Amino acid sequence: MAKNYSTITILQEIMVILGSKIQPIKKLEKINEVFLTNFGVAYSTIIEIGPDFNIVKASNVPRDMITAVAALNKNPDFIESLENNTLLPQV
């Protein structure tokens, strides 16, 4: 029961952020903060792909790891996963 309550609370917090009238990048940053705070992960990146495959992202990934995140739109597996709405293979 407690797990369901916390999940609902987190989803509700995300819905409030999505419904707010702030810039899209700020929304992603706030949602990223929710993930970092509630799921105990060290790093998180949220990527929004636009219709022209332009990428908007919110990330707290260290600079030495950011190249992999920044290059996603050039990765053929990533593009194919977007086009087919499938998950990327685990590395």
Side-chain angles (χ1 to χ4, degrees):
M1 179 76 172
K3 183 178 177 181
N4 286 341
Y5 177 76
S6 64
T7 302
I8 291 169
T9 303
I10 293 167
L11 289 173
Q12 190 173 32
E13 188 174 349
I14 291 171
M15 294 295 288
V16 168
I17 294 167
L18 289 172
S20 66
K21 294 183 180 189
I22 58 176
Q23 297 175 344
I25 187 65
K26 293 294 182 193
K27 288 181 184 183
L28 292 180
E29 289 170 357
K30 287 183 174 284
I31 292 170
N32 201 36
E33 288 174 23
V34 169
F35 288 144
L36 291 168
T37 303
N38 292 288
F39 296 113
V41 295
Y43 304 113
S44 172
T45 299
I46 299 175
I47 300 171
E48 178 184 347
I49 309 297
D52 298 325
F53 287 97
N54 53 327
I55 292 179
V56 177
K57 65 179 173 43
S59 179
N60 76 325
V61 174
R63 286 198 180 277
D64 60 336
M65 294 170 60
I66 202 71
T67 323
V69 174
L72 278 176
N73 63 336
K74 294 175 180 56
N75 179 324
D77 292 332
F78 180 69
I79 300 299
E80 182 180 338
S81 75
L82 291 174
E83 291 171 343
N84 298 325
N85 198 23
T86 58
L87 296 174
L88 279 171
Q90 293 295 320
V91 182

